[in-house]
Amino acid sequence: MMEPPSSSRCQLHGSASPMILRRCLFLLLLVLPSCCSPALAATPYLVGMGSYDITGPAADVNMMGYASAEQIASGIHFRLKARAFIVAEPDGKRAVFVNLDACMASQLVTVKVLERLKARYGDLYNENNVAISGIHTHAGPGGYLQYVVYIVTSLGFVRQSFDVIVNGIEQTIVEAHNNLRPGKIFVNKGDLLDAGVNRSPSAYLNNPAEERSKYQYNVDKEMTLIKFVDDGLGPIGSFNWFATHGTSMSRTNSLISGDNKGAAARFMEDWAEENVIPNQAAHVSSGNPRRVSALISEPNEITDDLIRLASSFKASGGRQISGSNITRRIRSTQQNKPKFISAFCQSNCGDVSPNVLGAFCVDTGLPCDFNHSTCNGKNELCYGRGPGYPDEFESTRIIGNRQFLKAVNLFNSASEEIQGKVDYRHTYLDFSQLEVNVPSSTGGQQVMKTCPAAMGFAFAAGTTDGPGAFDFKQGDAKGNAFWRLVRDVIRPPGPEQVKCQAPKPILLDTGEMKVPYDWAPAILPIQIIRIGQLVILCVPGEFTTMAGRRLRDAVKNVLTNSGQFDDNIHVVLAGLTNTYSQYITTYEEYQMQRYEGASTLYGPHTLSAYIQEFQRLATAMVSNKQVPTNLQPPDLLNRQIELLPGVIVDKTPPGVTFGDVSSDVPANSTFRKGSTVNATFYSACPRNDLLTDGTFALVEKLDGSNNWVPAYDDDDWSLRFKWSRPAKFSSRSFATLEWTIPEDAPSGVYRLRHFGASKPLIGSIKYFTGTSSAFAVR
């Protein structure tokens, strides 16, 4: 036990006076809590977790990822979320990691989130200890990045997309901060073999044979998972890092979706609700269970009486409601229950595709050309196939489910406790002119430079996950005369830039294009977060498999050679973090000029620059030194151009009310589990109100007291919200609710309900709802 200071010691010898005894008892009470408290003695960390809805506009907005102008959002597959953990030493440093169901992080989003955190908490959370990372779904609304090249297809900046992400991240971190409690963290890792393949194998093969021989696979198969355990409540969540692209959903999809990683997170959080949270019942008061099956006992059979009961509930017709009456998402109503949070984070996914069956020509069914991913010389015909081909939703489910099952396995078997201090380092670098020491041909060292950003011809060819157009192709180190002429009209690259970027033939010299403002970033953040023996390398782009391996190994060598870490160190790479700067290949892969090499913005020595600067960060961290920088990225919010027109007015036909049914469920209908039921409603543009933390779609079940109970909403895998207009500029619109009845749905009487918000020509937004006729599920 810790002794009190000598001037305050209790000398209990002879006949102690009552005053001395009272004094000793008082000092003992002061000392015991600090030295003998089980929680403080056993737990080195405070742990907090949070999540919040970041679903953007489900209509009219171009989706971010494929750069396809035709891919416009028109509904919701399931909602997007921000998820965060905070780990803090009780009297020391703390770190925040936020995972977004978004294509990537945005520098402008990061800047504005940090401003809000500073207003709330002072310097407690800042650019050094906050990391914001994207899962790389290609099915989320775009327009939230600040550089021109990333918002061309979204018709410029989309303030609604931007605001919902910034607000959601802030609320997520606030929730995690408020949830900080003593807890432990465990780490585990294992291989997942069937959730990713290399989509540029010819470039990977250009890496040295000796280096390739160290690895069994041409993509990283390892998933690293950390498990959070609250000292009082038990397990409260997990985060994992695994490399595979968010491209199970194709560029023809128009429903907002978290793709395979968002699906995996949804599956694991629902799994935890059934398998983890019930074990915490002794620690919390009772609340609403997630699933309707826990609310209502299932009938033994569907009787004629039940079918007649269902047929007695006709479509309600639309009616106005107040905004406060919009049903909150079912998961959000569980205020008295702990919330399990699971995030499936991105890693070095640059050349990793979830379309694991391979790439085939759509015209012949034969494999695509190995070197160029073309079919008879055309890239437009070469597509990767997911495991559920030709059903992209099924492919998304399968790849998500594979990640989920591996995560559950790692979660259940995690036994290695994370121990050690929390630390971090962060700096900004000008990648347009960074000096890099690289090996020379004579065996020595030479100083080279990175280049201003530029994209090569093969960038326009796209990938097997989403091919480009015209006559571009991957592996093109020359370009062609026509597109060079087009390029030169826009901005011809100078001879120094051409030399610096070689052998990349420059299609867009984005780093030197400044009208109406910067087309591409130059100032980039790099960051290391340490939590005990876990080290997270936060990178602002998409590293290929081998590029990620080289970076991880280089940092690991610095850390283990310092004597502060043993071989049990876990180094993970968090891709698409804090901002976005496209791809990072190895020097050898860059020579091949496939899509990833053509999209490596800062030239052939980009990876060497990252390795050099991350080694510097790691050295500073183990030496307890700071990394000063005078650089700051630009804040271009006030210069953003928004060309997407706003909603003018919503209308219905004469005699029709918003929320009325346009196409009802068939009368007196009974559906079996696994079948699909749908109804269409007269609706309004979803951009009028995103219904954040609410829902556009609801499945309700009739309970034994003839009350309608929420069962499934638009954050459920089984329920899709589809929005449409009869014509492009029509003021009329429709909402179709499509429910594929889960196999574990209880039998009984159900109906579909739609919520929305309409905009009159003059006046404020008005909210409405309507229901379909009821139907029986057997």
Side-chain angles (χ1 to χ4, degrees):
M1 181 197 293
M2 183 186 299
E3 273 196 322
S6 58
S7 60
S8 303
R9 287 182 192 144
C10 301
Q11 304 295 333
L12 298 180
H13 54 81
S15 57
S17 69
M19 180 178 293
I20 292 176
L21 288 172
R22 286 195 299 270
R23 179 182 174 194
C24 288
L25 182 59
F26 175 72
L27 289 172
L28 193 62
L29 291 171
L30 284 178
V31 172
L32 279 174
S34 63
C35 68
C36 303
S37 166
L40 290 178
T43 302
Y45 302 124
L46 299 176
V47 174
M49 306 193 77
S51 65
Y52 202 76
D53 186 6
I54 59 168
T55 309
D60 300 333
V61 175
N62 183 253
M63 289 183 166
M64 182 62 197
Y66 287 115
S68 171
E70 291 78 31
Q71 192 188 16
I72 305 297
S74 61
I76 296 175
H77 180 206
F78 58 91
R79 286 194 170 248
L80 309 180
K81 296 177 74 173
R83 298 172 172 91
F85 70 75
I86 301 177
V87 176
E89 297 173 302
D91 297 311
K93 292 183 176 180
R94 62 183 57 202
V96 184
F97 190 92
V98 183
N99 191 61
L100 302 178
D101 287 346
C103 194
M104 67 281 290
S106 154
Q107 184 66 73
L108 188 57
V109 166
T110 301
V111 166
K112 295 308 176 184
V113 168
L114 292 174
E115 287 180 0
R116 293 192 182 191
L117 294 178
K118 184 174 181 63
R120 277 184 183 268
Y121 301 112
D123 293 328
L124 189 62
Y125 302 111
N126 53 68
E127 63 191 17
N128 297 306
N129 67 352
V130 175
I132 301 172
S133 183
I135 64 170
H136 210 36
T137 174
H138 286 41
Y144 63 94
L145 287 86
Q146 69 173 353
Y147 298 105
V148 173
V149 75
Y150 306 130
I151 55 177
V152 170
T153 56
S154 62
L155 300 181
F157 193 67
V158 180
R159 187 61 187 248
Q160 203 173 29
S161 292
F162 173 81
D163 284 342
V164 74
I165 295 175
V166 172
N167 293 339
I169 296 172
E170 179 188 20
Q171 292 303 314
T172 299
I173 294 175
V174 168
E175 182 178 293
H177 174 86
N178 292 338
N179 286 339
L180 280 168
R181 291 167 48 91
K184 298 182 181 67
I185 311 170
F186 298 87
V187 63
N188 202 0
K189 58 187 179 184
D191 284 350
L192 173 58
L193 301 181
D194 54 359
V197 296
N198 198 305
R199 68 185 188 188
S200 285
S202 60
Y204 180 88
L205 287 173
N206 207 43
N207 292 307
E210 181 181 1
E211 180 181 35
R212 288 186 280 112
S213 68
K214 299 176 184 177
Y215 304 98
Q216 185 175 359
Y217 304 106
N218 62 1
V219 297
D220 281 344
K221 301 290 189 178
E222 188 172 78
M223 175 185 286
T224 300
L225 177 141
I226 52 176
K227 173 181 179 178
F228 298 94
V229 180
D230 185 291
D231 279 358
L233 297 173
I236 55 173
S238 69
F239 273 55
N240 70 71
W241 289 265
F242 177 78
T244 194
H245 248 76
T247 49
S248 293
M249 302 294 288
S250 75
R251 66 178 184 178
T252 61
N253 164 63
S254 64
L255 300 185
I256 290 175
S257 173
D259 208 278
N260 57 69
K261 286 189 175 291
R266 167 55 51 242
F267 299 157
M268 189 156 185
E269 288 174 351
D270 283 346
W271 167 84
E273 185 176 303
E274 300 294 328
N275 297 276
V276 177
I277 293 177
N279 298 327
Q280 304 172 2
H283 303 283
V284 295
S285 59
S286 61
N288 293 326
R290 163 69 185 94
R291 287 298 178 199
V292 67
S293 57
L295 286 170
I296 310 161
S297 59
E298 182 170 351
N300 292 327
E301 59 182 3
I302 296 295
T303 64
D304 290 342
D305 287 343
L306 201 58
I307 294 174
R308 281 193 293 270
L309 177 63
S311 65
S312 69
F313 291 94
K314 303 302 182 184
S316 66
R319 60 183 176 87
Q320 278 194 19
I321 57 174
S322 67
S324 61
N325 285 336
I326 298 287
T327 296
R328 298 186 70 201
R329 287 186 302 113
I330 295 170
R331 292 172 183 84
S332 300
T333 63
Q334 305 170 59
Q335 296 303 312
N336 294 322
K337 294 183 66 177
K339 182 165 67 172
F340 186 95
I341 294 169
S342 181
F344 286 69
C345 309
Q346 196 52 270
S347 191
N348 52 322
C349 68
D351 53 358
V352 187
S353 170
N355 296 311
V356 294
L357 298 186
F360 295 87
C361 298
V362 296
D363 55 345
T364 65
L366 298 174
C368 304
D369 173 80
F370 182 76
N371 290 317
H372 302 290
S373 297
T374 56
C375 301
N376 294 319
K378 296 183 177 181
N379 71 82
E380 298 96 323
L381 301 177
C382 178
Y383 278 89
R385 293 179 181 177
Y389 175 83
D391 185 342
E392 62 188 304
F393 291 94
E394 181 63 5
S395 291
T396 301
R397 187 197 64 79
I398 292 171
I399 297 297
N401 195 58
R402 289 173 181 175
Q403 292 176 77
F404 154 64
L405 292 176
K406 172 53 66 172
V408 168
N409 173 264
L410 296 176
F411 180 87
N412 286 334
S413 60
S415 59
E416 180 188 337
E417 186 174 353
I418 289 181
Q419 296 177 321
K421 65 181 180 180
V422 174
D423 206 353
Y424 41 78
R425 289 298 183 273
H426 174 285
T427 193
Y428 290 110
L429 302 166
D430 185 351
F431 264 80
S432 69
Q433 51 181 358
L434 194 62
E435 291 189 346
V436 188
N437 288 305
V438 299
S440 67
S441 57
T442 59
Q445 291 284 309
Q446 59 182 332
V447 177
M448 305 296 288
K449 275 191 173 184
T450 55
C451 326
M455 297 191 294
F457 275 66
F459 158 78
T463 71
T464 56
D465 292 335
F470 306 110
D471 54 352
F472 295 102
K473 65 180 180 180
Q474 297 193 69
D476 183 358
K478 296 180 180 179
N480 67 56
F482 174 77
W483 289 111
R484 287 181 187 277
L485 178 62
V486 173
R487 173 203 67 189
D488 290 347
V489 171
I490 300 171
R491 163 82 196 199
E496 185 175 346
Q497 174 76 324
V498 170
K499 180 180 179 181
C500 186
Q501 290 279 354
K504 178 196 294 177
I506 298 172
L507 177 64
L508 289 173
D509 190 17
T510 53
E512 298 179 311
M513 296 165 69
K514 306 294 183 182
V515 178
Y517 43 86
D518 293 355
W519 278 57
I523 309 299
L524 299 179
I526 63 169
Q527 182 182 34
I528 298 179
I529 291 177
R530 174 192 178 181
I531 304 170
Q533 67 267 35
L534 174 72
V535 177
I536 306 171
L537 310 182
C538 303
V539 298
E542 303 176 58
F543 277 61
T544 61
T545 298
M546 194 64 84
R549 289 168 175 171
R550 290 185 190 177
L551 178 62
R552 286 197 305 261
D553 288 347
V555 172
K556 186 175 182 178
N557 287 338
V558 171
L559 298 178
T560 53
N561 291 337
S562 71
Q564 298 182 25
F565 295 84
D566 57 26
D567 290 337
N568 203 33
I569 184 174
H570 303 275
V571 181
V572 298
L573 188 148
L576 306 119
T577 301
N578 294 326
T579 189
Y580 183 62
S581 59
Q582 295 174 245
Y583 285 74
I584 301 91
T585 65
T586 66
Y587 178 86
E588 294 83 0
E589 290 166 349
Y590 187 90
Q591 307 306 306
M592 301 298 290
Q593 280 301 294
R594 283 181 61 87
Y595 174 83
E596 295 81 12
S599 304
T600 296
L601 296 184
Y602 307 103
H605 304 296
T606 300
L607 175 60
S608 296
Y610 273 103
I611 290 173
Q612 171 184 288
E613 297 305 316
F614 265 100
Q615 287 177 318
R616 188 165 67 97
L617 272 193
T619 300
M621 188 171 71
V622 296
S623 305
N624 199 28
K625 295 179 179 178
Q626 299 305 309
V627 184
T629 180
N630 296 320
L631 297 174
Q632 285 289 326
D635 178 347
L636 302 175
L637 181 59
N638 293 331
R639 299 185 63 185
Q640 295 300 310
I641 297 173
E642 302 179 54
L643 300 178
L644 180 69
V647 179
I648 306 300
V649 65
D650 293 294
K651 293 181 179 179
T652 60
V656 173
T657 302
F658 290 108
D660 281 356
V661 172
S662 166
S663 176
D664 200 2
V665 176
N668 306 319
S669 54
T670 301
F671 294 88
R672 294 190 177 276
K673 296 170 186 180
S675 59
T676 299
V677 56
N678 56 66
T680 301
F681 300 82
Y682 289 96
S683 190
C685 185
R687 292 164 60 199
N688 294 325
D689 192 313
L690 303 182
L691 301 189
T692 300
D693 218 28
T695 184
F696 290 100
L698 196 65
V699 176
E700 297 178 320
K701 186 176 189 295
L702 191 69
D703 69 8
S705 302
N706 277 6
N707 295 316
W708 290 101
V709 179
Y712 300 88
D713 60 27
D714 66 11
D715 195 25
D716 276 291
W717 180 267
S718 63
L719 180 60
R720 299 175 191 172
F721 163 64
K722 299 181 175 180
W723 181 84
S724 62
R725 285 192 181 100
K728 185 173 182 178
F729 298 108
S730 175
S731 58
R732 297 178 183 176
S733 62
F734 298 92
T736 297
L737 277 54
E738 185 179 282
W739 183 41
T740 300
I741 304 169
E743 294 294 338
D744 61 352
S747 300
V749 177
Y750 291 83
R751 69 181 183 184
L752 306 178
R753 178 182 290 277
H754 171 46
F755 292 99
S758 63
K759 184 180 185 300
L761 190 59
I762 300 174
S764 59
I765 298 293
K766 300 187 184 302
Y767 296 88
F768 62 88
T769 188
T771 66
S772 72
S773 295
F775 53 93
V777 171
R778 67 165 75 242

